Amino acid sequence: MAGSNFGTIFKITTWGESHGKGIGVVIDGCPAGLPLTEADIQPYLDRRRPGQNRYTTKRMEADAVEILSGTFENRTTGTPISLLVRNTDQRSRDYSTIAELYRPGHADYPYAQKYGVRDYRGGGRSSGRETIGRVAAGAVAAKLLAQLGITFTTYVSAIGPVRIDRNQCDFSRITESSLLMPDAEAEQRALAWLEQCLRDQNSSGGVVECIIRHVPAGLGEPVFEKLDANLARAIMSVGAVKAVEIGDGTDAASRRGSENNDYYHTDADGIPHKQTNHSGGILGGISDGTDIVVRASFKPTPSIGQPQPMLTRDGSVTTEAIHGRHDPIVVTRAAVVVEAMAALTLADHLLLNMTARMDNLKLLYAKE
Amino acid sequence: MAGSNFGTIFKITTWGESHGKGIGVVIDGCPAGLPLTEADIQPYLDRRRPGQNRYTTKRMEADAVEILSGTFENRTTGTPISLLVRNTDQRSRDYSTIAELYRPGHADYPYAQKYGVRDYRGGGRSSGRETIGRVAAGAVAAKLLAQLGITFTTYVSAIGPVRIDRNQCDFSRITESSLLMPDAEAEQRALAWLEQCLRDQNSSGGVVECIIRHVPAGLGEPVFEKLDANLARAIMSVGAVKAVEIGDGTDAASRRGSENNDYYHTDADGIPHKQTNHSGGILGGISDGTDIVVRASFKPTPSIGQPQPMLTRDGSVTTEAIHGRHDPIVVTRAAVVVEAMAALTLADHLLLNMTARMDNLKLLYAKE
Amino acid sequence: MAGSNFGTIFKITTWGESHGKGIGVVIDGCPAGLPLTEADIQPYLDRRRPGQNRYTTKRMEADAVEILSGTFENRTTGTPISLLVRNTDQRSRDYSTIAELYRPGHADYPYAQKYGVRDYRGGGRSSGRETIGRVAAGAVAAKLLAQLGITFTTYVSAIGPVRIDRNQCDFSRITESSLLMPDAEAEQRALAWLEQCLRDQNSSGGVVECIIRHVPAGLGEPVFEKLDANLARAIMSVGAVKAVEIGDGTDAASRRGSENNDYYHTDADGIPHKQTNHSGGILGGISDGTDIVVRASFKPTPSIGQPQPMLTRDGSVTTEAIHGRHDPIVVTRAAVVVEAMAALTLADHLLLNMTARMDNLKLLYAKE
Amino acid sequence: MAGSNFGTIFKITTWGESHGKGIGVVIDGCPAGLPLTEADIQPYLDRRRPGQNRYTTKRMEADAVEILSGTFENRTTGTPISLLVRNTDQRSRDYSTIAELYRPGHADYPYAQKYGVRDYRGGGRSSGRETIGRVAAGAVAAKLLAQLGITFTTYVSAIGPVRIDRNQCDFSRITESSLLMPDAEAEQRALAWLEQCLRDQNSSGGVVECIIRHVPAGLGEPVFEKLDANLARAIMSVGAVKAVEIGDGTDAASRRGSENNDYYHTDADGIPHKQTNHSGGILGGISDGTDIVVRASFKPTPSIGQPQPMLTRDGSVTTEAIHGRHDPIVVTRAAVVVEAMAALTLADHLLLNMTARMDNLKLLYAKE
């Protein structure tokens, strides 16, 4: 079945395997007239590239993106935008031994059960490299959103047992932090934790949080295409994500109504403002005009250097060590993937919401 | 935009407002030959009806379902199954004062911003009554799944600060528990907590957990229609849900790889089994043949008896108490909604997965 | 599979069988703020009702429509609009003998092959009665389009061998013509032809043509959701339609380019106008701002009074006469169905096209 | 909006402009285990290449296809299949003068109205070159269908006023006929007609007919995804098509029921067979197990060498001759495009139909 599409109006289709010829995405439904060149997209891909710190895989790919269609004179034309990133550093020999093995925590076994055949080189389609298509498309969505003033702040809020303290966060330091943490003190502890993981040939889970600002009220379509529902799907579809939370998330379950409701008060100018944002900017599945807050919990990458029990294709269990290049921590590279998926979701909902009222129809068609 | 559909093959469309003429759902794509009568559906609706304990709304509706189409001689025919539940106890006068008010924690404000107009009677389409369509359709999905041996165990795992102890759960007691809790001791503490909430005219959040057993390996479509992604969307789309977790969920983020990987061992018969199920039965977005575990955190219902600050349509803030019939705790009624959404997701993926292999095509078309 | 939906934004789901409890449709994605009551819909249903002339079935149903949801104070709210028409005159005894027979020209045999089971009473879901859902929804689409000035002229252009002469058409006479023909002279000949068909216990094919006026340029989405492609699908999906043509249709195939191109000339005011409209208002799948012309060829209804060879369920061939109530001519009742499908297609494309340009986004979101 | 997708399960997304970097298609949902290499696809692309006779454009492109993803060891893996054809012979200078002109019969004007901006080089996305993506994907669909014995016979049945005589057709001569006509005598007359068109710097319309054999009964999903409805959409979406007919098509409208019904008779072996196939293999929108017949009428290509009146961007009318490379007749190259669209439609319906019965679910899941 066709599972490689995301979105209704701003719709993407991704393709590509870890060790195939390349990875790509087709963006269909991007409005005409958006300024766009490769220079808008490349910085997003660079954010997900390995090698930014010593806790990410040693695989080096330029991941240079090429726009194959959909723009003319550096503007979108309304036709599909095809983006291509060629694979260059594939070293498929590293993976030959795993053809017969189903690695723990990986998709090897389910893929084999589902399709009968699988491209075992580097995880094939289930590789993290698949996210290149998401990120490239997300960069275009983010460019669109930026035209309307919508911005993203994305960071790592936890690594293993280390969590940031929300009272001592400085969001301006995210870009300079090798771990994308806004809390310098937490970052130091996280670095120590990761050193230990490296020494143990182990890996660590973590949490990515994304704040989306300046979103107009009204985005989200009741009842199955709610904004939070689609953010949840978008982000849970990223490999290794095991939980998605909106606003206060799981914490809301232990609270009482009077503690969890966000109350309005009127400020000095007589303008009403929410005093709190427990809801994370979404009520009834529709944006309420305040900051949207979404959070993703990533499991530790299952590929670790230690020897581990593995299932074999013939049904026996053997103990092997996995070779190859893997990240002991994925959240630093995954942050831009979460942001990309959020941007894609927002862009689609922004377009969908244009059709919500007769007023809008009259406004647009009357101008002609 | 059209947000009232769910599913690709087994596809539902729900409709109806709290105080309109009724609530309904059309199920399209249900295979022909499934035995089906109202008696298969009514028990699910009864599970979400109010009045089961003193912590749920006093509104009394029979919620009797009528099958309007799609069956012949008590079997599905492959044509759309239309299900109707008439509203009978509407008392819309209770809600007249809120026409000018945007209640905190409710969808009133976003609906007004989105559509310009809203049916304010009882929350209209954003009312919990909307879930009748989901539950009725979910009953049909569950019937289909049961033909293949797939079953559901759904319960309340937390209410406010009270959490069940997984070591002392007896799942056989769920149906007799007024709070649907498998841990008798936790239930006692939860009852005490709810008594206090009632006295304080307050409400409480909680957690629903659903275990799906006997799911074949291979369900889920990479990369955007992963089984966990679609479960997340399905369940986050239920009103008041603020987090969705798969397997160990948020806990996975604080672990190391060696602790989180599920290892196989070979049992006495030489058959390999997973020793743990941290992954919740899904790897790479595809079912691995073990139990699927999904968990939803519900915020406390925002309607509480206490006077609260409210935003008015003209932009001022006023303090009012909300009258009407509301649940101090939603999880006991929401459990069947979570189960219904999980059943709908599974049924759709079961059908989608039939097309994954050429072998399957040859098998089915060769028989003719 | 789910085949009962039509549309992407303005999306309908129909349900119901000829001899079930009723026929209905859910319209999802209709913009909020459209004035709507049953009085807007009933006249369309009345146009497809039998009994308007002696060449249509004697089955008498009031076909009274009820709006079950989606409006508040006589305006749409943006939530799904559920419309219900109860079946009242079902006389299923008439059809009992056909349980074992596959009627020639009917869907009996394919349905049985596809589903293994079928509701044989009156054709079940393959009955012309299924079109009630289309027409009810089409009335809402037409109401929406009328707000922007878009109008429909739908008529019968041929019955059997009788064709209208385009040079002597008076479109104002359509509503008074029992055969919906704009050419009085052709109508006389068609009446004579139908008398002969009745005497012979036979039926006749015919052609419905629909002109859509005041459509803005720009509707249609390249390359698979072209306006003409979606009109073709919409109208070919109506039972008994065997051909769909746009503009000059099949005639274009025998022409040369210089004869088929529509040339612009400048009128006295200096405004350019097309001199001809061979293209039927659509170029490259996108509306060009001139009248859209679409045409559907209907086969003669296969139910005729004469004894005919029929296939039986056990694979033998027998000769039987079909009893029951059938139309010797369907085009007079089908005209409003064609119009409804065209209206649904146009409404959806009108909404889709709102998202085509960045300018439109800025215009709509800037106002907030 | 996203109009570049076709199909529900076997789903394609095409991209690319005439004078961009290339043309491509992503096929998502192709079952795993289908043998596939470039050698399966290239012959289809060669059939649509220009230069096969003197009546097609002189533009010469190798149109060599590259499989970028989705196969492993020459079999499909169930992951998206990305196909790329690089543009090599673009000569965009030929088109520079039309930047300010809207050519008659072309999509120039609607594109400009819709998007505000357009890639005018060679028609951009509205160029016939867009069909490369359709044909490449159609080749994969045809390969899948061939595994189940389904085959296509596609030919030109009319060119301008010349029509084939169905009584003197020899389908074995199609591949050797430069005009793809099965009637040698008609071909001679068509060649003479085309000579005259060339001399007059004119072009000609024509008709393509496609017969699909060995299709199992049961394909097609009531009521909006009927097989004929989806064939109509698929084929009407091809540029220059103005009519789509199923079986006897427009001729059915002038007939009586007794003439148009296909009657079964029992042959010597006691097996029932249809004596005629007026219905073109589809009844009630579902395949009936006999040959499917579909026909497309193409308008004459609007690009002709003669000077013609053209609309300018500033709203005036001027007379110009269009330079560049254009086909005086498109049907010879378009035949494979019609076949490709039919193959894509059939492949999708073949997969969709697998889910029609509970029996099928039990059969497939029981085997595991």
Side-chain angles (χ1 to χ4, degrees):
Chain A
M1 179 261 170
S4 301
N5 304 119
F6 184 82
T8 297
I9 301 288
F10 193 98
K11 191 176 198 167
I12 70 165
T13 305
T14 67
W15 57 268
E17 287 86 35
S18 175
H19 286 63
K21 293 194 173 176
I23 304 278
V25 62
V26 181
I27 305 164
D28 197 21
C30 183
L34 178 70
L36 188 74
T37 70
E38 277 93 348
D40 293 305
I41 302 167
Q42 196 62 51
Y44 282 76
L45 290 172
D46 292 345
R47 284 168 63 192
R48 78 159 289 292
R49 276 182 60 209
Q52 295 171 319
N53 57 46
R54 56 185 300 228
Y55 311 109
T56 54
T57 170
K58 298 300 175 287
R59 175 171 173 167
M60 294 301 295
E61 300 258 11
D63 289 351
V65 67
E66 183 184 13
I67 300 177
L68 294 176
S69 70
T71 62
F72 182 58
E73 297 173 349
N74 296 334
R75 286 187 172 262
T76 59
T77 59
T79 60
I81 303 165
S82 180
L83 304 178
L84 172 64
V85 172
R86 289 270 180 184
N87 290 339
T88 53
D89 174 23
Q90 303 173 10
R91 281 200 252 174
S92 63
R93 62 191 176 282
D94 287 345
Y95 295 94
S96 55
T97 60
I98 66 163
E100 301 299 313
L101 294 178
Y102 301 140
R103 294 167 295 170
H106 276 276
D108 300 346
Y109 176 75
Y111 263 77
Q113 293 298 302
K114 182 178 190 73
Y115 296 115
V117 56
R118 72 187 169 101
D119 179 349
Y120 48 76
R121 299 168 304 165
R125 181 78 173 146
S126 72
S127 163
R129 202 161 164 74
E130 164 264 316
T131 59
I132 284 177
R134 302 173 184 246
V135 172
V140 179
K143 181 80 190 265
L144 184 156
L145 295 168
Q147 308 285 306
L148 299 169
I150 299 170
T151 59
F152 294 81
T153 305
T154 311
Y155 49 93
V156 171
S157 63
I159 288 183
V162 181
R163 284 166 193 271
I164 60 168
D165 179 345
R166 286 172 200 283
N167 296 319
Q168 57 186 35
C169 281
D170 172 8
F171 290 122
S172 71
R173 76 180 302 280
I174 298 170
T175 50
E176 36 187 278
S177 161
S178 70
L179 297 181
L180 304 182
M181 295 184 100
D183 171 352
E185 193 270 329
E187 186 180 28
Q188 287 310 310
R189 285 183 290 129
L191 286 167
W193 162 262
L194 287 175
E195 280 302 318
Q196 188 61 48
C197 288
L198 264 187
R199 274 194 296 272
D200 300 344
Q201 293 190 291
N202 218 328
S203 63
S204 175
V207 178
V208 171
E209 202 163 273
C210 179
I211 303 174
I212 317 167
R213 303 184 202 276
H214 312 302
V215 177
L219 307 193
E221 306 296 322
V223 296
F224 297 117
E225 306 280 353
K226 286 175 172 171
L227 185 55
D228 42 5
N230 280 340
L231 283 169
R233 175 197 166 202
I235 291 168
M236 190 70 92
S237 79
V238 177
V241 174
K242 299 304 286 184
V244 178
E245 300 172 85
I246 303 294
D248 289 354
T250 57
D251 286 351
S254 57
R255 296 226 191 88
R256 306 209 292 176
S258 60
E259 298 157 345
N260 196 65
N261 283 347
D262 297 311
Y263 296 118
Y264 278 85
H265 73 131
T266 311
D267 69 10
D269 310 341
I271 295 168
H273 286 290
K274 279 167 72 176
Q275 303 178 50
T276 53
N277 188 17
H278 300 302
S279 72
I282 301 176
L283 284 172
I286 306 177
S287 63
D288 69 3
T290 59
D291 288 355
I292 291 176
V293 181
V294 60
R295 195 161 41 254
S297 292
F298 286 78
K299 70 175 185 183
T301 181
S303 293
I304 56 179
Q306 302 174 16
Q308 300 180 99
M310 297 196 190
L311 190 61
T312 66
R313 204 149 71 167
D314 62 16
S316 64
V317 176
T318 183
T319 296
E320 300 268 354
I322 304 168
H323 300 294
R325 298 153 299 185
H326 304 287
D327 297 346
I329 179 77
V330 298
V331 282
T332 51
R333 297 179 62 196
V336 70
V337 183
V338 169
E339 183 174 313
M341 294 311 299
L344 289 164
T345 307
L346 265 287
D348 197 34
H349 274 284
L350 202 72
L351 295 172
L352 288 169
N353 184 52
M354 295 172 74
T355 65
R357 296 181 184 208
M358 284 305 298
D359 291 352
N360 290 0
L361 267 89
K362 289 177 182 169
L363 185 63
L364 287 191
Y365 287 107
K367 75 179 165 134
E368 284 165 19
Chain B
M1 179 261 169
S4 301
N5 305 118
F6 184 83
T8 297
I9 302 288
F10 193 99
K11 190 175 199 170
I12 71 166
T13 305
T14 68
W15 58 267
E17 287 86 35
S18 176
H19 286 63
K21 293 194 173 176
I23 303 279
V25 62
V26 181
I27 305 164
D28 198 21
C30 184
L34 178 70
L36 188 74
T37 71
E38 277 93 349
D40 293 305
I41 302 167
Q42 195 62 51
Y44 282 76
L45 291 172
D46 293 346
R47 284 169 62 192
R48 78 160 289 291
R49 277 182 59 209
Q52 295 172 319
N53 57 47
R54 56 185 300 228
Y55 311 109
T56 54
T57 169
K58 299 299 176 286
R59 175 169 172 169
M60 294 301 296
E61 301 258 9
D63 290 350
V65 68
E66 183 184 13
I67 300 178
L68 294 176
S69 70
T71 62
F72 182 58
E73 297 174 348
N74 296 334
R75 287 187 172 261
T76 58
T77 59
T79 60
I81 303 164
S82 180
L83 304 177
L84 172 64
V85 172
R86 289 270 180 184
N87 290 338
T88 53
D89 174 23
Q90 303 173 10
R91 281 199 252 173
S92 64
R93 63 190 175 283
D94 287 345
Y95 295 93
S96 55
T97 59
I98 66 163
E100 301 299 314
L101 294 178
Y102 301 138
R103 294 167 296 169
H106 276 276
D108 301 345
Y109 176 75
Y111 263 77
Q113 293 298 304
K114 182 178 189 72
Y115 296 116
V117 55
R118 72 188 169 101
D119 179 351
Y120 48 75
R121 300 167 303 163
R125 180 79 173 143
S126 72
S127 163
R129 203 161 164 74
E130 164 264 316
T131 59
I132 284 177
R134 302 173 184 246
V135 172
V140 179
K143 181 79 190 266
L144 184 156
L145 295 168
Q147 307 286 304
L148 299 169
I150 299 170
T151 60
F152 293 80
T153 305
T154 312
Y155 50 92
V156 171
S157 63
I159 287 183
V162 181
R163 285 167 192 270
I164 60 169
D165 179 344
R166 285 170 202 284
N167 295 319
Q168 57 186 31
C169 281
D170 173 7
F171 290 121
S172 70
R173 77 179 302 279
I174 298 171
T175 51
E176 35 188 278
S177 160
S178 71
L179 296 182
L180 304 182
M181 295 185 101
D183 171 352
E185 194 270 330
E187 186 181 28
Q188 287 310 309
R189 284 184 290 131
L191 286 167
W193 161 261
L194 287 174
E195 279 301 318
Q196 189 61 47
C197 289
L198 265 187
R199 275 195 295 272
D200 300 344
Q201 294 190 290
N202 218 328
S203 63
S204 174
V207 178
V208 172
E209 201 162 274
C210 179
I211 303 175
I212 317 167
R213 303 183 202 276
H214 313 302
V215 178
L219 307 192
E221 307 296 323
V223 295
F224 296 117
E225 306 279 352
K226 286 176 172 171
L227 185 55
D228 43 5
N230 280 339
L231 283 169
R233 175 197 165 201
I235 292 169
M236 190 70 92
S237 79
V238 178
V241 174
K242 300 304 286 184
V244 178
E245 300 171 86
I246 303 294
D248 290 353
T250 56
D251 286 352
S254 57
R255 295 225 192 89
R256 307 210 291 177
S258 60
E259 299 156 346
N260 195 65
N261 283 347
D262 297 312
Y263 296 118
Y264 277 85
H265 71 130
T266 311
D267 70 10
D269 310 342
I271 296 168
H273 286 289
K274 277 167 72 176
Q275 301 179 50
T276 53
N277 188 17
H278 300 302
S279 71
I282 300 176
L283 284 172
I286 306 177
S287 63
D288 70 3
T290 59
D291 289 354
I292 291 176
V293 181
V294 61
R295 197 163 38 255
S297 293
F298 285 80
K299 72 176 184 182
T301 181
S303 293
I304 56 179
Q306 300 174 19
Q308 299 180 98
M310 297 196 190
L311 191 62
T312 67
R313 203 149 70 166
D314 62 16
S316 64
V317 177
T318 182
T319 295
E320 299 269 353
I322 305 168
H323 300 294
R325 297 153 301 185
H326 304 287
D327 297 347
I329 180 77
V330 298
V331 283
T332 52
R333 296 180 62 196
V336 70
V337 183
V338 169
E339 183 174 314
M341 294 311 300
L344 290 164
T345 307
L346 265 287
D348 197 34
H349 274 284
L350 203 71
L351 295 172
L352 288 169
N353 184 52
M354 295 172 74
T355 65
R357 294 180 185 210
M358 284 305 299
D359 291 352
N360 290 0
L361 267 90
K362 289 176 182 169
L363 185 63
L364 287 189
Y365 287 107
K367 76 178 164 133
E368 285 164 19
Chain C
M1 180 262 168
S4 301
N5 304 118
F6 184 83
T8 297
I9 301 288
F10 194 99
K11 191 175 197 169
I12 71 165
T13 306
T14 68
W15 57 268
E17 288 86 36
S18 174
H19 286 63
K21 292 194 173 176
I23 303 278
V25 63
V26 182
I27 305 164
D28 198 21
C30 183
L34 178 71
L36 188 74
T37 70
E38 277 93 348
D40 293 305
I41 302 167
Q42 196 62 51
Y44 282 77
L45 290 172
D46 292 345
R47 284 168 63 191
R48 77 160 289 292
R49 277 182 60 210
Q52 295 171 320
N53 58 47
R54 57 185 300 228
Y55 311 109
T56 55
T57 169
K58 297 299 175 288
R59 175 171 173 166
M60 293 301 294
E61 301 258 9
D63 288 350
V65 68
E66 183 183 13
I67 299 177
L68 294 176
S69 71
T71 61
F72 183 58
E73 297 174 348
N74 297 335
R75 286 186 172 262
T76 59
T77 60
T79 59
I81 303 165
S82 179
L83 305 177
L84 172 65
V85 172
R86 289 270 180 184
N87 290 338
T88 53
D89 174 23
Q90 303 172 9
R91 280 198 253 174
S92 63
R93 63 192 175 281
D94 288 345
Y95 295 94
S96 56
T97 59
I98 66 162
E100 302 297 314
L101 294 178
Y102 301 138
R103 294 166 295 171
H106 277 276
D108 300 345
Y109 176 75
Y111 263 76
Q113 293 298 303
K114 182 178 190 72
Y115 296 115
V117 55
R118 72 188 169 99
D119 179 350
Y120 48 76
R121 299 167 303 165
R125 180 79 172 146
S126 72
S127 163
R129 202 159 166 74
E130 164 263 317
T131 59
I132 284 177
R134 302 173 184 246
V135 171
V140 179
K143 181 80 190 265
L144 185 156
L145 295 168
Q147 308 286 305
L148 300 169
I150 299 170
T151 60
F152 294 81
T153 305
T154 312
Y155 49 92
V156 171
S157 64
I159 288 183
V162 180
R163 286 166 192 270
I164 59 169
D165 179 343
R166 286 172 201 285
N167 295 319
Q168 58 187 32
C169 280
D170 172 8
F171 290 121
S172 70
R173 78 180 301 280
I174 298 171
T175 50
E176 38 188 274
S177 160
S178 70
L179 296 181
L180 305 182
M181 295 184 101
D183 171 352
E185 193 270 330
E187 186 180 29
Q188 288 310 308
R189 285 183 290 130
L191 286 167
W193 162 261
L194 286 174
E195 280 301 318
Q196 188 62 47
C197 289
L198 264 188
R199 274 195 297 273
D200 299 345
Q201 294 189 290
N202 219 328
S203 62
S204 174
V207 178
V208 172
E209 201 162 273
C210 180
I211 303 174
I212 317 167
R213 303 184 202 275
H214 312 302
V215 178
L219 306 192
E221 307 296 322
V223 294
F224 297 116
E225 306 281 351
K226 286 175 173 172
L227 185 55
D228 41 6
N230 280 339
L231 283 168
R233 175 198 165 200
I235 292 168
M236 190 69 92
S237 78
V238 177
V241 173
K242 299 304 287 182
V244 178
E245 300 171 84
I246 304 294
D248 289 355
T250 56
D251 286 352
S254 57
R255 295 224 192 89
R256 307 211 291 179
S258 60
E259 298 156 345
N260 196 64
N261 285 345
D262 296 312
Y263 296 118
Y264 276 85
H265 72 132
T266 310
D267 69 10
D269 310 341
I271 295 167
H273 286 289
K274 278 167 72 175
Q275 302 178 50
T276 52
N277 188 17
H278 300 302
S279 71
I282 300 176
L283 284 173
I286 305 177
S287 63
D288 70 3
T290 59
D291 290 354
I292 291 177
V293 181
V294 59
R295 194 160 43 253
S297 293
F298 286 78
K299 71 176 184 181
T301 181
S303 292
I304 56 180
Q306 301 175 18
Q308 301 180 99
M310 298 197 189
L311 191 61
T312 68
R313 202 149 72 166
D314 62 16
S316 64
V317 177
T318 182
T319 296
E320 299 270 353
I322 304 168
H323 300 294
R325 298 154 300 187
H326 304 287
D327 297 346
I329 180 77
V330 298
V331 283
T332 52
R333 296 180 62 196
V336 70
V337 183
V338 169
E339 183 175 311
M341 293 311 299
L344 289 165
T345 306
L346 265 286
D348 197 34
H349 274 284
L350 203 71
L351 295 172
L352 288 168
N353 185 52
M354 294 173 75
T355 65
R357 295 182 185 208
M358 284 305 299
D359 291 351
N360 290 0
L361 267 89
K362 289 177 183 170
L363 185 63
L364 287 190
Y365 287 106
K367 75 178 166 134
E368 285 167 18
Chain D
M1 179 261 169
S4 302
N5 305 119
F6 184 82
T8 296
I9 301 288
F10 194 97
K11 191 174 197 169
I12 70 165
T13 305
T14 68
W15 57 268
E17 287 86 35
S18 174
H19 286 62
K21 292 196 174 176
I23 303 277
V25 62
V26 181
I27 304 165
D28 198 20
C30 183
L34 178 71
L36 188 73
T37 70
E38 278 93 348
D40 293 306
I41 303 166
Q42 196 61 52
Y44 282 77
L45 290 172
D46 292 345
R47 284 169 63 192
R48 77 161 288 293
R49 277 181 60 210
Q52 297 172 318
N53 58 47
R54 57 186 298 228
Y55 311 109
T56 54
T57 169
K58 298 299 176 286
R59 176 170 172 168
M60 293 301 294
E61 301 258 9
D63 288 350
V65 67
E66 183 183 12
I67 300 178
L68 294 176
S69 70
T71 61
F72 182 58
E73 297 174 348
N74 296 335
R75 284 186 173 263
T76 59
T77 60
T79 60
I81 303 164
S82 179
L83 305 177
L84 172 64
V85 172
R86 289 270 179 183
N87 289 338
T88 53
D89 175 23
Q90 303 174 10
R91 281 200 251 174
S92 63
R93 63 190 175 282
D94 287 345
Y95 295 94
S96 56
T97 58
I98 67 163
E100 301 297 314
L101 295 178
Y102 301 138
R103 294 167 295 169
H106 276 276
D108 300 346
Y109 176 75
Y111 263 77
Q113 293 298 304
K114 182 178 191 70
Y115 295 115
V117 55
R118 73 188 168 100
D119 179 350
Y120 48 77
R121 299 168 302 165
R125 181 79 173 145
S126 72
S127 162
R129 202 158 165 75
E130 164 263 316
T131 59
I132 285 177
R134 302 173 183 247
V135 171
V140 179
K143 181 80 190 268
L144 184 156
L145 295 168
Q147 306 287 304
L148 300 169
I150 300 170
T151 60
F152 293 81
T153 306
T154 311
Y155 49 93
V156 171
S157 63
I159 287 182
V162 180
R163 287 169 190 269
I164 60 170
D165 179 343
R166 285 170 202 285
N167 296 319
Q168 59 187 32
C169 280
D170 173 7
F171 290 121
S172 70
R173 77 179 302 279
I174 298 171
T175 50
E176 37 187 276
S177 160
S178 71
L179 296 181
L180 304 181
M181 295 184 101
D183 172 352
E185 192 270 329
E187 186 180 28
Q188 287 310 309
R189 284 184 290 130
L191 286 167
W193 162 260
L194 287 174
E195 281 300 318
Q196 187 62 47
C197 289
L198 265 187
R199 274 195 296 273
D200 299 345
Q201 293 189 292
N202 219 328
S203 63
S204 174
V207 178
V208 172
E209 201 162 273
C210 179
I211 302 175
I212 317 167
R213 303 184 202 275
H214 313 302
V215 178
L219 307 193
E221 307 297 322
V223 293
F224 297 117
E225 306 280 353
K226 286 176 172 171
L227 185 55
D228 42 5
N230 280 339
L231 283 169
R233 175 198 165 201
I235 292 168
M236 190 69 92
S237 78
V238 177
V241 173
K242 300 303 287 183
V244 178
E245 300 171 86
I246 303 294
D248 289 354
T250 56
D251 285 353
S254 56
R255 296 226 191 89
R256 308 210 291 177
S258 60
E259 298 156 345
N260 196 65
N261 284 346
D262 296 312
Y263 296 119
Y264 277 86
H265 72 133
T266 311
D267 70 11
D269 310 340
I271 295 168
H273 286 289
K274 279 167 71 175
Q275 301 178 51
T276 52
N277 188 17
H278 300 302
S279 71
I282 300 176
L283 284 173
I286 305 177
S287 63
D288 70 3
T290 59
D291 289 355
I292 291 177
V293 181
V294 60
R295 194 161 41 254
S297 293
F298 286 79
K299 71 176 184 181
T301 183
S303 292
I304 56 179
Q306 300 174 17
Q308 299 180 99
M310 298 196 190
L311 191 61
T312 67
R313 204 149 71 166
D314 62 16
S316 64
V317 176
T318 182
T319 296
E320 300 270 352
I322 304 168
H323 300 294
R325 297 153 301 185
H326 304 287
D327 297 347
I329 180 77
V330 297
V331 283
T332 52
R333 295 181 62 196
V336 70
V337 183
V338 169
E339 183 174 312
M341 293 311 298
L344 289 165
T345 306
L346 265 286
D348 196 35
H349 274 284
L350 203 72
L351 295 172
L352 288 168
N353 184 52
M354 295 172 75
T355 66
R357 295 182 185 208
M358 283 305 298
D359 292 352
N360 290 0
L361 267 89
K362 289 176 182 170
L363 185 63
L364 287 189
Y365 287 106
K367 77 179 165 133
E368 284 166 19

